[in-house]
Amino acid sequence: MPHLGADVAAYVDGQLSGSAAREAVAHLETCDACEKAVRQQRLLKSRMSTVATPEPPAALLASLAGLAADPPARESWWVRLGRSLPLRAGVVVVTASLAVVATAYAVGGSGRPGDEVQPPFNQYTADFDAPVASFDTASGDTVITAAAMDDLSEYGWACHDTLAGDLHRVSGAYTGADEVISLVYTDGSSRLNLYEQTGVLAPSTLDGFRSETMAGSRVWVRPGSPMVVTWDDDGTVFTIVTDVDHQRVERAVAELPTDSDEQGLGERVGDGLTRMSSWVGAA
């Protein structure tokens, strides 16, 4: 069978016919390229599933429902005279536009997408302290190639080549039943392990951590050797396990997505308009 190609998404979504699905399964057993493409598609689908679609605000629906409830009040002749057709059209357009923008701004900033997750911090620390600094394929880890990490970066995952200036990425793998992207950075003496997974941090998993501000954002820190730093941003949980100094840890955090990257006005309104469009499409 040839490579899955454009059928990767259909295979992941279960849309292939029975015979085509069986051929795809057989092909994946011998083709590493297609198997990695399927894994990346599943990661992308998992990430996209964390994007929340909020309900329209109740106040907005109520105001729209009541637009025709009361007849307009009778206006004096000079008010009616002042309302030429072009002026009325302009006022309607401007008013409607302002209302849409205001609603989009409010909707664009709502929600924390993703299910709660509990990263295995103790396991991460044990892996860091292990004699071998790379991932163990015998234990189920699957190595990610440099080309695959470039693809993951395009899908929104932070797979930087370097962190904190001189920590270079030396390896990467899928761990935790392929639900976690694990990256190793080093300068030759110190090391930083970075873990990324979809979701938001469960408060119950933060016992022993203290809240700190790094790079202008709140993160959770468990001091010690190694230090553990964790936070979530836009549906992704990040965890750092490292023995580098505090200043370089803060620099690494600054180079990764954090709450300090607040949406600007245009981005927030654009996000809101996208969500409102989804309401119209679902109606």
Side-chain angles (χ1 to χ4, degrees):
M1 177 183 176
H3 292 301
L4 294 185
D7 289 335
V8 168
Y11 173 77
V12 171
D13 293 336
Q15 296 178 347
L16 293 180
S17 65
S19 59
R22 287 191 293 272
E23 291 179 4
V25 170
H27 177 72
L28 289 172
E29 291 178 352
T30 59
C31 180
D32 291 340
C34 287
E35 193 272 338
K36 289 178 182 177
V38 166
R39 185 183 293 105
Q40 291 172 19
Q41 180 67 22
R42 285 173 174 160
L43 277 170
L44 175 61
K45 185 176 180 181
S46 174
R47 183 175 177 83
M48 293 300 295
S49 69
T50 68
V51 179
T53 304
E55 295 294 328
L60 174 62
L61 296 179
S63 63
L64 292 176
L67 285 178
D70 299 318
R74 183 175 179 80
E75 299 172 334
S76 61
W77 67 270
W78 57 270
V79 173
R80 295 196 302 273
L81 182 63
R83 292 196 172 191
S84 62
L85 183 58
L87 180 61
R88 290 177 61 190
V91 170
V92 169
V93 169
V94 171
T95 302
S97 298
L98 290 175
V100 170
V101 170
T103 303
Y105 179 83
V107 171
S110 62
R112 286 182 78 227
D115 297 328
E116 287 191 347
V117 296
Q118 298 181 336
F121 299 120
N122 291 336
Q123 181 60 53
Y124 292 165
T125 301
D127 291 342
F128 187 90
D129 290 333
V132 180
S134 59
F135 295 103
D136 182 7
T137 55
S139 64
D141 296 341
T142 304
V143 174
I144 307 175
T145 65
M149 278 189 267
D150 289 340
D151 292 338
L152 289 172
S153 295
E154 292 183 4
Y155 292 150
W157 297 90
C159 299
H160 303 325
D161 293 331
T162 60
L163 283 177
D166 60 353
L167 296 174
H168 299 276
R169 189 186 70 213
V170 294
S171 64
Y174 300 103
T175 63
D178 293 344
E179 295 181 356
V180 181
I181 295 175
S182 308
L183 308 171
V184 174
Y185 294 83
T186 183
D187 62 359
S189 57
S190 300
R191 193 165 86 250
L192 183 150
N193 289 3
L194 173 64
Y195 301 87
E196 306 175 23
Q197 62 189 118
T198 58
V200 295
L201 276 172
S204 60
T205 199
L206 295 173
D207 289 342
F209 286 77
R210 68 188 184 207
S211 176
E212 286 191 17
T213 298
M214 288 189 180
S217 296
R218 188 177 73 163
V219 299
W220 298 92
V221 178
R222 189 171 75 181
S225 181
M227 174 192 298
V228 181
V229 182
T230 189
W231 72 95
D232 58 51
D233 176 80
D234 194 25
T236 302
V237 175
F238 297 88
T239 302
I240 287 175
V241 182
T242 186
D243 56 4
V244 304
D245 61 85
H246 192 280
Q247 183 177 1
R248 294 167 74 196
V249 173
E250 185 161 5
R251 182 174 176 182
V253 170
E255 295 171 0
L256 295 167
T258 62
D259 290 335
S260 62
D261 300 326
E262 294 182 357
Q263 291 176 308
L265 175 61
E267 184 180 358
R268 181 166 173 173
V269 170
D271 184 47
L273 289 172
T274 299
R275 293 186 181 186
M276 291 167 66
S277 298
S278 70
W279 302 341
V280 174

